[in-house]
Amino acid sequence: MAFGTKTNERPGTRAQLRYLRVSAYKAREVLDLIRGLHVDDADAVLEFTERAVAKEIRKVLASAVANAEHNDQLDPNELYVSACYADEGPTLKRWRPRARGRATRIRKRTCHITIIVSRMDAKELEKRRARAEAAISRGGVRRDGAQARRERVAKSRAKQAARGHDHDHDHDHEHDEDVVPGEPTEATVEAAEAAAEGGVEATDEVVEAAESEVPGEPTEATVEAAEEAAEEAQAADESESEADDASEEKS
């Protein structure tokens, strides 16, 4: 009785991700979409697949292509996904409390993902080159896999550099707009003058406003203005109370 090629004996360059916290069933649904495709087409399919596991599978595909390019000296533009599969890993057992003191078992599945890339045969390569030349003749743009990957890496690095520059720029602006500690603001001075004119005791309010609006301790001028306002307000209250007492004695 003849048997086919075993899983671990398949030719090609492989990359594997072990103990991924996803069930093998969910991973196989995505792997079925890229089996037999050119690596560039498979990468495009995974990029726009609305499954969480597609992001991890895309990383495994990129690793397999890199292994073939650097270890086996193969051209990335001539590779296709010859095999991809997901094996079941160990299952984590957990318990969930339920009604009446019962417990229900929770099974957290794991899987091992393997992707194998191989060089396309001569006929398929000729067909692909013919389609690329036809697209160029029609005015289309030829998509080179290695060049596209280099452009994506350069664009990602440029975005990260720009993000870091913007952060530093905003940080410098924040330092430039800082107020000098200890100097009262216009709102604080106006509040002190209004308290002095209106005869309202505002010593604590002025000090709290100075501490909240300006970092650091209030200046001596602010404290003196607040104390003068408080003294004037107290004198006004005493004069009013004396006048009231005099009017009551006369009556």
Side-chain angles (χ1 to χ4, degrees), residues 65-131:
V65 173
N67 292 339
E69 181 180 4
H70 298 290
N71 298 340
D72 299 338
Q73 288 72 41
L74 297 177
D75 187 1
N77 297 321
E78 299 178 353
L79 300 177
Y80 77 104
V81 182
S82 58
C84 56
Y85 50 88
D87 298 326
E88 293 186 0
T91 301
L92 305 179
K93 278 80 173 180
R94 299 292 183 268
W95 296 97
R96 173 177 297 170
R98 300 302 296 270
R100 299 181 181 180
R102 292 176 295 180
T104 302
R105 183 188 295 272
I106 301 175
R107 297 177 178 87
K108 296 181 180 291
R109 308 287 186 178
T110 63
C111 67
H112 310 311
I113 297 177
T114 305
I115 295 180
I116 303 175
V117 295
S118 303
R119 188 177 182 275
M120 303 176 70
D121 55 8
K123 293 183 179 179
E124 292 296 331
L125 287 175
E126 290 178 0
K127 291 180 181 179
R128 189 170 183 83
R129 293 194 185 100
R131 288 197 298 268

Short mmCIF file of all heavy atoms in Angstrom, two decimals, residues 65-131:
data_model
loop_
_atom_site.label_atom_id
_atom_site.label_comp_id
_atom_site.label_asym_id
_atom_site.label_seq_id
_atom_site.Cartn_x
_atom_site.Cartn_y
_atom_site.Cartn_z
N VAL A 65 9.13 33.43 3.47
CA VAL A 65 9.75 34.06 2.30
C VAL A 65 11.17 34.52 2.63
O VAL A 65 12.10 34.36 1.83
CB VAL A 65 8.88 35.23 1.81
CG1 VAL A 65 9.58 36.00 0.71
CG2 VAL A 65 7.53 34.72 1.32
N ALA A 66 11.36 35.10 3.81
CA ALA A 66 12.70 35.53 4.22
C ALA A 66 13.64 34.36 4.37
O ALA A 66 14.83 34.44 3.98
CB ALA A 66 12.61 36.32 5.53
N ASN A 67 13.16 33.24 4.89
CA ASN A 67 14.01 32.04 5.01
C ASN A 67 14.43 31.53 3.64
O ASN A 67 15.58 31.14 3.44
CB ASN A 67 13.27 30.95 5.77
CG ASN A 67 13.07 31.30 7.23
OD1 ASN A 67 13.77 32.13 7.79
ND2 ASN A 67 12.09 30.67 7.86
N ALA A 68 13.50 31.55 2.69
CA ALA A 68 13.83 31.08 1.35
C ALA A 68 14.82 32.00 0.66
O ALA A 68 15.71 31.55 -0.08
CB ALA A 68 12.56 30.97 0.52
N GLU A 69 14.70 33.30 0.93
CA GLU A 69 15.59 34.26 0.27
C GLU A 69 17.00 34.23 0.86
O GLU A 69 17.99 34.27 0.13
CB GLU A 69 14.99 35.66 0.39
CG GLU A 69 15.81 36.75 -0.27
CD GLU A 69 15.19 38.11 -0.15
OE1 GLU A 69 14.12 38.22 0.53
OE2 GLU A 69 15.73 39.08 -0.70
N HIS A 70 17.11 34.16 2.19
CA HIS A 70 18.41 34.28 2.83
C HIS A 70 19.09 32.93 3.07
O HIS A 70 20.33 32.85 3.04
CB HIS A 70 18.26 35.01 4.17
CG HIS A 70 17.75 36.41 4.03
ND1 HIS A 70 18.49 37.43 3.49
CD2 HIS A 70 16.54 36.96 4.34
CE1 HIS A 70 17.79 38.55 3.48
NE2 HIS A 70 16.60 38.29 3.99
N ASN A 71 18.31 31.88 3.31
CA ASN A 71 18.91 30.58 3.59
C ASN A 71 19.09 29.73 2.34
O ASN A 71 20.11 29.05 2.19
CB ASN A 71 18.06 29.82 4.62
CG ASN A 71 17.97 30.55 5.94
OD1 ASN A 71 18.80 31.41 6.25
ND2 ASN A 71 16.97 30.21 6.73
N ASP A 72 18.08 29.76 1.45
CA ASP A 72 18.14 28.93 0.25
C ASP A 72 18.45 29.71 -1.02
O ASP A 72 18.46 29.13 -2.11
CB ASP A 72 16.81 28.18 0.07
CG ASP A 72 16.52 27.26 1.24
OD1 ASP A 72 17.48 26.88 1.94
OD2 ASP A 72 15.34 26.94 1.47
N GLN A 73 18.70 31.03 -0.90
CA GLN A 73 19.04 31.89 -2.04
C GLN A 73 18.03 31.77 -3.19
O GLN A 73 18.38 31.59 -4.35
CB GLN A 73 20.45 31.58 -2.58
CG GLN A 73 21.57 32.04 -1.67
CD GLN A 73 21.72 31.19 -0.41
OE1 GLN A 73 21.60 29.96 -0.49
NE2 GLN A 73 21.96 31.82 0.72
N LEU A 74 16.74 31.85 -2.85
CA LEU A 74 15.68 31.81 -3.85
C LEU A 74 15.13 33.21 -4.09
O LEU A 74 15.14 34.05 -3.18
CB LEU A 74 14.55 30.87 -3.40
CG LEU A 74 14.93 29.39 -3.23
CD1 LEU A 74 13.72 28.60 -2.70
CD2 LEU A 74 15.41 28.80 -4.55
N ASP A 75 14.67 33.43 -5.30
CA ASP A 75 14.10 34.73 -5.65
C ASP A 75 12.69 34.81 -5.06
O ASP A 75 11.84 33.96 -5.35
CB ASP A 75 14.05 34.89 -7.17
CG ASP A 75 13.61 36.29 -7.57
OD1 ASP A 75 13.36 37.13 -6.67
OD2 ASP A 75 13.51 36.54 -8.79
N PRO A 76 12.38 35.83 -4.24
CA PRO A 76 11.03 35.90 -3.66
C PRO A 76 9.92 36.04 -4.70
O PRO A 76 8.78 35.66 -4.43
CB PRO A 76 11.11 37.15 -2.77
CG PRO A 76 12.56 37.35 -2.50
CD PRO A 76 13.28 36.87 -3.71
N ASN A 77 10.26 36.59 -5.88
CA ASN A 77 9.23 36.75 -6.92
C ASN A 77 8.87 35.44 -7.60
O ASN A 77 7.93 35.41 -8.40
CB ASN A 77 9.72 37.76 -7.97
CG ASN A 77 9.93 39.13 -7.37
OD1 ASN A 77 9.15 39.58 -6.54
ND2 ASN A 77 11.00 39.81 -7.79
N GLU A 78 9.59 34.37 -7.30
CA GLU A 78 9.32 33.07 -7.93
C GLU A 78 8.74 32.06 -6.94
O GLU A 78 8.70 30.87 -7.24
CB GLU A 78 10.62 32.51 -8.54
CG GLU A 78 11.22 33.41 -9.62
CD GLU A 78 12.52 32.86 -10.17
OE1 GLU A 78 13.00 31.84 -9.61
OE2 GLU A 78 13.05 33.41 -11.14
N LEU A 79 8.31 32.49 -5.80
CA LEU A 79 7.82 31.59 -4.77
C LEU A 79 6.30 31.58 -4.73
O LEU A 79 5.64 32.58 -5.05
CB LEU A 79 8.37 32.01 -3.40
CG LEU A 79 9.89 32.02 -3.24
CD1 LEU A 79 10.26 32.53 -1.86
CD2 LEU A 79 10.46 30.62 -3.46
N TYR A 80 5.77 30.45 -4.30
CA TYR A 80 4.33 30.31 -4.07
C TYR A 80 4.12 29.45 -2.83
O TYR A 80 5.03 28.76 -2.37
CB TYR A 80 3.63 29.71 -5.29
CG TYR A 80 3.81 28.21 -5.43
CD1 TYR A 80 2.78 27.33 -5.09
CD2 TYR A 80 5.01 27.67 -5.89
CE1 TYR A 80 2.95 25.96 -5.21
CE2 TYR A 80 5.18 26.31 -6.02
CZ TYR A 80 4.14 25.45 -5.68
OH TYR A 80 4.31 24.10 -5.80
N VAL A 81 2.92 29.50 -2.28
CA VAL A 81 2.59 28.74 -1.08
C VAL A 81 2.28 27.31 -1.50
O VAL A 81 1.16 27.00 -1.95
CB VAL A 81 1.41 29.38 -0.33
CG1 VAL A 81 1.10 28.60 0.95
CG2 VAL A 81 1.70 30.84 0.00
N SER A 82 3.25 26.45 -1.36
CA SER A 82 3.05 25.07 -1.78
C SER A 82 2.25 24.27 -0.76
O SER A 82 1.54 23.32 -1.12
CB SER A 82 4.40 24.39 -2.02
OG SER A 82 5.19 24.44 -0.83
N ALA A 83 2.35 24.62 0.52
CA ALA A 83 1.61 23.90 1.56
C ALA A 83 1.44 24.83 2.75
O ALA A 83 2.32 25.64 3.07
CB ALA A 83 2.32 22.62 1.97
N CYS A 84 0.32 24.69 3.41
CA CYS A 84 0.06 25.42 4.65
C CYS A 84 -0.99 24.65 5.43
O CYS A 84 -1.99 24.20 4.87
CB CYS A 84 -0.40 26.86 4.38
SG CYS A 84 -1.83 27.01 3.32
N TYR A 85 -0.74 24.47 6.70
CA TYR A 85 -1.67 23.69 7.52
C TYR A 85 -1.54 24.13 8.97
O TYR A 85 -0.57 24.80 9.37
CB TYR A 85 -1.38 22.18 7.39
CG TYR A 85 0.06 21.81 7.58
CD1 TYR A 85 0.58 21.53 8.84
CD2 TYR A 85 0.92 21.73 6.48
CE1 TYR A 85 1.90 21.19 9.01
CE2 TYR A 85 2.25 21.38 6.63
CZ TYR A 85 2.73 21.12 7.91
OH TYR A 85 4.06 20.79 8.08
N ALA A 86 -2.52 23.76 9.76
CA ALA A 86 -2.58 24.08 11.19
C ALA A 86 -2.84 22.80 11.96
O ALA A 86 -3.84 22.11 11.70
CB ALA A 86 -3.67 25.12 11.47
N ASP A 87 -1.96 22.48 12.88
CA ASP A 87 -2.11 21.31 13.75
C ASP A 87 -2.62 21.75 15.11
O ASP A 87 -2.32 22.86 15.57
CB ASP A 87 -0.77 20.58 13.92
CG ASP A 87 -0.25 20.05 12.59
OD1 ASP A 87 -1.08 19.67 11.75
OD2 ASP A 87 0.98 20.05 12.39
N GLU A 88 -3.37 20.90 15.75
CA GLU A 88 -3.89 21.22 17.08
C GLU A 88 -2.78 21.15 18.12
O GLU A 88 -1.97 20.24 18.13
CB GLU A 88 -5.01 20.25 17.45
CG GLU A 88 -6.26 20.40 16.61
CD GLU A 88 -7.39 19.53 17.11
OE1 GLU A 88 -7.16 18.81 18.12
OE2 GLU A 88 -8.47 19.55 16.50
N GLY A 89 -2.77 22.14 19.01
CA GLY A 89 -1.82 22.16 20.10
C GLY A 89 -2.49 21.76 21.40
O GLY A 89 -3.65 21.32 21.41
N PRO A 90 -1.80 21.90 22.50
CA PRO A 90 -2.41 21.56 23.79
C PRO A 90 -3.56 22.48 24.12
O PRO A 90 -3.57 23.66 23.78
CB PRO A 90 -1.24 21.72 24.78
CG PRO A 90 -0.30 22.65 24.11
CD PRO A 90 -0.41 22.37 22.64
N THR A 91 -4.54 21.95 24.80
CA THR A 91 -5.73 22.71 25.20
C THR A 91 -5.62 23.09 26.67
O THR A 91 -5.36 22.23 27.52
CB THR A 91 -7.00 21.88 24.97
OG1 THR A 91 -7.09 21.54 23.59
CG2 THR A 91 -8.23 22.67 25.36
N LEU A 92 -5.83 24.35 26.96
CA LEU A 92 -5.80 24.83 28.34
C LEU A 92 -7.17 24.66 28.96
O LEU A 92 -8.18 25.08 28.38
CB LEU A 92 -5.38 26.31 28.38
CG LEU A 92 -4.05 26.65 27.68
CD1 LEU A 92 -3.77 28.14 27.79
CD2 LEU A 92 -2.91 25.86 28.29
N LYS A 93 -7.22 24.04 30.13
CA LYS A 93 -8.49 23.80 30.82
C LYS A 93 -8.71 24.88 31.88
O LYS A 93 -7.86 25.12 32.73
CB LYS A 93 -8.52 22.43 31.51
CG LYS A 93 -8.88 21.29 30.58
CD LYS A 93 -7.69 20.83 29.75
CE LYS A 93 -8.01 19.58 28.96
NZ LYS A 93 -6.85 19.13 28.16
N ARG A 94 -9.87 25.48 31.82
CA ARG A 94 -10.26 26.47 32.81
C ARG A 94 -11.68 26.15 33.26
O ARG A 94 -12.39 25.37 32.63
CB ARG A 94 -10.18 27.89 32.23
CG ARG A 94 -8.79 28.30 31.78
CD ARG A 94 -7.84 28.45 32.95
NE ARG A 94 -6.53 28.90 32.53
CZ ARG A 94 -5.51 28.11 32.23
NH1 ARG A 94 -5.68 26.78 32.29
NH2 ARG A 94 -4.35 28.60 31.87
N TRP A 95 -12.11 26.78 34.37
CA TRP A 95 -13.43 26.52 34.93
C TRP A 95 -14.19 27.83 35.08
O TRP A 95 -13.62 28.87 35.40
CB TRP A 95 -13.33 25.83 36.29
CG TRP A 95 -12.72 24.47 36.22
CD1 TRP A 95 -11.42 24.13 36.45
CD2 TRP A 95 -13.39 23.26 35.86
NE1 TRP A 95 -11.22 22.79 36.26
CE2 TRP A 95 -12.42 22.22 35.91
CE3 TRP A 95 -14.70 22.93 35.51
CZ2 TRP A 95 -12.73 20.90 35.61
CZ3 TRP A 95 -15.00 21.61 35.22
CH2 TRP A 95 -14.03 20.61 35.27
N ARG A 96 -15.47 27.76 34.82
CA ARG A 96 -16.35 28.93 34.94
C ARG A 96 -17.48 28.59 35.91
O ARG A 96 -18.16 27.57 35.75
CB ARG A 96 -16.93 29.31 33.58
CG ARG A 96 -17.98 30.41 33.63
CD ARG A 96 -18.45 30.77 32.25
NE ARG A 96 -17.38 31.31 31.44
CZ ARG A 96 -17.47 31.54 30.13
NH1 ARG A 96 -18.61 31.24 29.50
NH2 ARG A 96 -16.47 32.05 29.47
N PRO A 97 -17.70 29.41 36.93
CA PRO A 97 -18.80 29.13 37.87
C PRO A 97 -20.16 29.31 37.21
O PRO A 97 -20.38 30.25 36.45
CB PRO A 97 -18.57 30.14 38.99
CG PRO A 97 -17.80 31.25 38.36
CD PRO A 97 -16.94 30.62 37.32
N ARG A 98 -21.08 28.42 37.54
CA ARG A 98 -22.45 28.48 37.01
C ARG A 98 -23.43 28.43 38.16
O ARG A 98 -23.05 28.46 39.35
CB ARG A 98 -22.69 27.31 36.04
CG ARG A 98 -21.76 27.29 34.84
CD ARG A 98 -21.85 28.56 34.02
NE ARG A 98 -23.15 28.72 33.42
CZ ARG A 98 -23.49 28.25 32.21
NH1 ARG A 98 -22.60 27.58 31.49
NH2 ARG A 98 -24.70 28.43 31.73
N ALA A 99 -24.69 28.32 37.83
CA ALA A 99 -25.74 28.37 38.85
C ALA A 99 -25.72 27.12 39.73
O ALA A 99 -25.25 26.05 39.33
CB ALA A 99 -27.10 28.51 38.17
N ARG A 100 -26.24 27.29 40.97
CA ARG A 100 -26.40 26.20 41.92
C ARG A 100 -25.07 25.52 42.29
O ARG A 100 -25.00 24.31 42.50
CB ARG A 100 -27.39 25.16 41.40
CG ARG A 100 -28.78 25.72 41.17
CD ARG A 100 -29.73 24.65 40.68
NE ARG A 100 -31.06 25.21 40.43
CZ ARG A 100 -32.10 24.50 39.99
NH1 ARG A 100 -31.93 23.19 39.76
NH2 ARG A 100 -33.27 25.07 39.78
N GLY A 101 -24.01 26.30 42.31
CA GLY A 101 -22.73 25.76 42.72
C GLY A 101 -22.05 24.87 41.71
O GLY A 101 -21.07 24.20 42.04
N ARG A 102 -22.53 24.84 40.49
CA ARG A 102 -21.90 24.00 39.48
C ARG A 102 -20.75 24.74 38.80
O ARG A 102 -20.60 25.95 38.94
CB ARG A 102 -22.94 23.57 38.44
CG ARG A 102 -24.00 22.61 39.01
CD ARG A 102 -25.04 22.29 37.99
NE ARG A 102 -25.81 23.48 37.62
CZ ARG A 102 -26.80 23.48 36.73
NH1 ARG A 102 -27.11 22.36 36.11
NH2 ARG A 102 -27.45 24.58 36.45
N ALA A 103 -19.98 24.02 38.01
CA ALA A 103 -18.86 24.58 37.27
C ALA A 103 -18.86 24.00 35.86
O ALA A 103 -19.20 22.83 35.66
CB ALA A 103 -17.53 24.29 37.96
N THR A 104 -18.50 24.85 34.90
CA THR A 104 -18.45 24.44 33.50
C THR A 104 -17.02 24.54 32.99
O THR A 104 -16.32 25.51 33.28
CB THR A 104 -19.36 25.34 32.64
OG1 THR A 104 -20.70 25.26 33.14
CG2 THR A 104 -19.35 24.88 31.18
N ARG A 105 -16.60 23.55 32.24
CA ARG A 105 -15.23 23.53 31.72
C ARG A 105 -15.11 24.51 30.55
O ARG A 105 -15.98 24.58 29.67
CB ARG A 105 -14.85 22.13 31.27
CG ARG A 105 -13.40 22.02 30.77
CD ARG A 105 -13.15 20.65 30.16
NE ARG A 105 -13.27 19.61 31.18
CZ ARG A 105 -12.25 19.21 31.94
NH1 ARG A 105 -11.07 19.77 31.80
NH2 ARG A 105 -12.42 18.25 32.82
N ILE A 106 -14.01 25.27 30.53
CA ILE A 106 -13.67 26.15 29.41
C ILE A 106 -12.42 25.59 28.75
O ILE A 106 -11.40 25.36 29.41
CB ILE A 106 -13.41 27.59 29.88
CG1 ILE A 106 -14.64 28.16 30.58
CG2 ILE A 106 -13.03 28.48 28.71
CD1 ILE A 106 -14.41 29.53 31.18
N ARG A 107 -12.49 25.37 27.46
CA ARG A 107 -11.35 24.83 26.70
C ARG A 107 -10.76 25.94 25.84
O ARG A 107 -11.40 26.41 24.91
CB ARG A 107 -11.79 23.65 25.84
CG ARG A 107 -12.30 22.46 26.63
CD ARG A 107 -12.78 21.36 25.70
NE ARG A 107 -13.23 20.20 26.46
CZ ARG A 107 -14.46 20.03 26.93
NH1 ARG A 107 -15.37 20.99 26.74
NH2 ARG A 107 -14.79 18.94 27.59
N LYS A 108 -9.54 26.33 26.15
CA LYS A 108 -8.83 27.35 25.38
C LYS A 108 -7.88 26.64 24.42
O LYS A 108 -6.84 26.13 24.81
CB LYS A 108 -8.07 28.30 26.32
CG LYS A 108 -8.99 29.11 27.23
CD LYS A 108 -8.19 30.05 28.11
CE LYS A 108 -9.12 30.85 29.01
NZ LYS A 108 -9.93 31.81 28.25
N ARG A 109 -8.25 26.64 23.15
CA ARG A 109 -7.51 25.87 22.15
C ARG A 109 -6.23 26.59 21.71
O ARG A 109 -6.14 27.82 21.74
CB ARG A 109 -8.39 25.65 20.93
CG ARG A 109 -9.75 25.06 21.24
CD ARG A 109 -9.67 23.59 21.62
NE ARG A 109 -11.00 23.01 21.77
CZ ARG A 109 -11.22 21.74 22.06
NH1 ARG A 109 -10.20 20.90 22.22
NH2 ARG A 109 -12.46 21.29 22.21
N THR A 110 -5.26 25.83 21.30
CA THR A 110 -4.04 26.36 20.69
C THR A 110 -3.74 25.55 19.43
O THR A 110 -4.30 24.46 19.22
CB THR A 110 -2.84 26.27 21.65
OG1 THR A 110 -2.58 24.90 21.95
CG2 THR A 110 -3.10 27.03 22.93
N CYS A 111 -2.86 26.10 18.59
CA CYS A 111 -2.54 25.41 17.34
C CYS A 111 -1.12 25.77 16.92
O CYS A 111 -0.52 26.74 17.40
CB CYS A 111 -3.53 25.77 16.23
SG CYS A 111 -3.45 27.50 15.71
N HIS A 112 -0.58 24.96 16.01
CA HIS A 112 0.73 25.18 15.42
C HIS A 112 0.53 25.41 13.92
O HIS A 112 0.00 24.54 13.22
CB HIS A 112 1.65 23.97 15.63
CG HIS A 112 1.70 23.50 17.05
ND1 HIS A 112 1.92 24.35 18.11
CD2 HIS A 112 1.56 22.26 17.59
CE1 HIS A 112 1.93 23.65 19.24
NE2 HIS A 112 1.70 22.38 18.95
N ILE A 113 0.96 26.57 13.43
CA ILE A 113 0.77 26.94 12.02
C ILE A 113 2.08 26.75 11.28
O ILE A 113 3.13 27.20 11.75
CB ILE A 113 0.28 28.40 11.89
CG1 ILE A 113 -1.10 28.54 12.55
CG2 ILE A 113 0.21 28.81 10.43
CD1 ILE A 113 -1.62 29.95 12.55
N THR A 114 2.02 26.10 10.13
CA THR A 114 3.19 25.86 9.28
C THR A 114 2.88 26.30 7.86
O THR A 114 1.81 25.95 7.33
CB THR A 114 3.60 24.38 9.28
OG1 THR A 114 3.80 23.94 10.62
CG2 THR A 114 4.87 24.17 8.47
N ILE A 115 3.78 27.07 7.27
CA ILE A 115 3.65 27.51 5.87
C ILE A 115 4.93 27.13 5.13
O ILE A 115 6.03 27.42 5.60
CB ILE A 115 3.42 29.03 5.78
CG1 ILE A 115 2.07 29.40 6.42
CG2 ILE A 115 3.45 29.50 4.33
CD1 ILE A 115 1.76 30.88 6.38
N ILE A 116 4.77 26.49 3.98
CA ILE A 116 5.89 26.05 3.16
C ILE A 116 5.80 26.76 1.81
O ILE A 116 4.75 26.74 1.16
CB ILE A 116 5.88 24.53 2.95
CG1 ILE A 116 5.91 23.80 4.30
CG2 ILE A 116 7.06 24.08 2.10
CD1 ILE A 116 5.77 22.30 4.18
N VAL A 117 6.88 27.39 1.42
CA VAL A 117 6.94 28.07 0.12
C VAL A 117 7.96 27.34 -0.76
O VAL A 117 9.00 26.87 -0.27
CB VAL A 117 7.32 29.55 0.28
CG1 VAL A 117 6.23 30.29 1.02
CG2 VAL A 117 8.64 29.72 1.01
N SER A 118 7.66 27.27 -2.05
CA SER A 118 8.53 26.59 -3.01
C SER A 118 8.62 27.43 -4.28
O SER A 118 7.80 28.33 -4.51
CB SER A 118 8.01 25.19 -3.34
OG SER A 118 7.86 24.42 -2.16
N ARG A 119 9.60 27.10 -5.09
CA ARG A 119 9.78 27.81 -6.36
C ARG A 119 8.79 27.29 -7.38
O ARG A 119 8.56 26.08 -7.50
CB ARG A 119 11.21 27.61 -6.87
CG ARG A 119 11.57 28.47 -8.09
CD ARG A 119 13.02 28.27 -8.47
NE ARG A 119 13.39 29.12 -9.60
CZ ARG A 119 13.20 28.80 -10.87
NH1 ARG A 119 12.64 27.63 -11.19
NH2 ARG A 119 13.57 29.63 -11.83
N MET A 120 8.19 28.21 -8.12
CA MET A 120 7.22 27.83 -9.14
C MET A 120 7.94 27.14 -10.30
O MET A 120 9.11 27.40 -10.57
CB MET A 120 6.47 29.06 -9.64
CG MET A 120 5.74 29.84 -8.55
SD MET A 120 4.94 31.35 -9.13
CE MET A 120 3.62 30.64 -10.11
N ASP A 121 7.21 26.26 -10.98
CA ASP A 121 7.84 25.58 -12.12
C ASP A 121 7.98 26.55 -13.31
O ASP A 121 7.46 27.66 -13.30
CB ASP A 121 7.02 24.35 -12.51
CG ASP A 121 5.57 24.69 -12.80
OD1 ASP A 121 5.25 25.90 -12.84
OD2 ASP A 121 4.75 23.77 -12.97
N ALA A 122 8.69 26.09 -14.32
CA ALA A 122 9.03 26.97 -15.44
C ALA A 122 7.78 27.45 -16.18
O ALA A 122 7.69 28.62 -16.58
CB ALA A 122 9.96 26.23 -16.40
N LYS A 123 6.79 26.58 -16.38
CA LYS A 123 5.59 26.98 -17.12
C LYS A 123 4.81 28.06 -16.37
O LYS A 123 4.36 29.04 -16.97
CB LYS A 123 4.71 25.75 -17.34
CG LYS A 123 5.32 24.72 -18.28
CD LYS A 123 4.36 23.56 -18.51
CE LYS A 123 4.97 22.54 -19.46
NZ LYS A 123 4.06 21.38 -19.70
N GLU A 124 4.66 27.88 -15.07
CA GLU A 124 3.93 28.88 -14.30
C GLU A 124 4.67 30.22 -14.27
O GLU A 124 4.06 31.29 -14.33
CB GLU A 124 3.72 28.38 -12.86
CG GLU A 124 2.78 27.20 -12.75
CD GLU A 124 1.37 27.55 -13.18
OE1 GLU A 124 0.98 28.73 -13.04
OE2 GLU A 124 0.66 26.65 -13.66
N LEU A 125 6.00 30.16 -14.19
CA LEU A 125 6.78 31.40 -14.21
C LEU A 125 6.62 32.12 -15.55
O LEU A 125 6.50 33.36 -15.60
CB LEU A 125 8.25 31.10 -13.94
CG LEU A 125 8.61 30.72 -12.50
CD1 LEU A 125 10.08 30.34 -12.40
CD2 LEU A 125 8.30 31.87 -11.56
N GLU A 126 6.63 31.36 -16.66
CA GLU A 126 6.44 31.98 -17.97
C GLU A 126 5.06 32.63 -18.09
O GLU A 126 4.92 33.74 -18.62
CB GLU A 126 6.64 30.93 -19.08
CG GLU A 126 8.08 30.46 -19.22
CD GLU A 126 8.23 29.40 -20.29
OE1 GLU A 126 7.20 29.04 -20.90
OE2 GLU A 126 9.36 28.92 -20.51
N LYS A 127 4.04 31.95 -17.59
CA LYS A 127 2.70 32.52 -17.64
C LYS A 127 2.63 33.81 -16.81
O LYS A 127 2.02 34.80 -17.23
CB LYS A 127 1.68 31.51 -17.11
CG LYS A 127 1.48 30.31 -18.00
CD LYS A 127 0.45 29.37 -17.41
CE LYS A 127 0.27 28.14 -18.29
NZ LYS A 127 -0.72 27.18 -17.72
N ARG A 128 3.26 33.79 -15.64
CA ARG A 128 3.21 34.98 -14.79
C ARG A 128 3.97 36.14 -15.42
O ARG A 128 3.52 37.29 -15.37
CB ARG A 128 3.79 34.64 -13.41
CG ARG A 128 3.60 35.75 -12.39
CD ARG A 128 3.96 35.30 -10.99
NE ARG A 128 3.69 36.35 -10.02
CZ ARG A 128 2.50 36.59 -9.47
NH1 ARG A 128 1.45 35.84 -9.82
NH2 ARG A 128 2.36 37.57 -8.61
N ARG A 129 5.13 35.86 -16.02
CA ARG A 129 5.87 36.92 -16.70
C ARG A 129 5.08 37.47 -17.88
O ARG A 129 5.09 38.68 -18.14
CB ARG A 129 7.22 36.38 -17.16
CG ARG A 129 8.17 36.02 -16.03
CD ARG A 129 9.58 35.81 -16.55
NE ARG A 129 10.49 35.36 -15.50
CZ ARG A 129 10.85 34.11 -15.32
NH1 ARG A 129 10.38 33.14 -16.13
NH2 ARG A 129 11.69 33.78 -14.34
N ALA A 130 4.38 36.58 -18.60
CA ALA A 130 3.58 37.04 -19.74
C ALA A 130 2.45 37.95 -19.27
O ALA A 130 2.17 38.98 -19.90
CB ALA A 130 3.02 35.84 -20.50
N ARG A 131 1.80 37.60 -18.17
CA ARG A 131 0.73 38.46 -17.64
C ARG A 131 1.29 39.80 -17.18
O ARG A 131 0.67 40.85 -17.39
CB ARG A 131 0.03 37.75 -16.47
CG ARG A 131 -0.84 36.60 -16.88
CD ARG A 131 -1.79 36.21 -15.75
NE ARG A 131 -1.06 35.78 -14.57
CZ ARG A 131 -0.73 34.51 -14.31
NH1 ARG A 131 -1.07 33.55 -15.18
NH2 ARG A 131 -0.09 34.18 -13.21
#
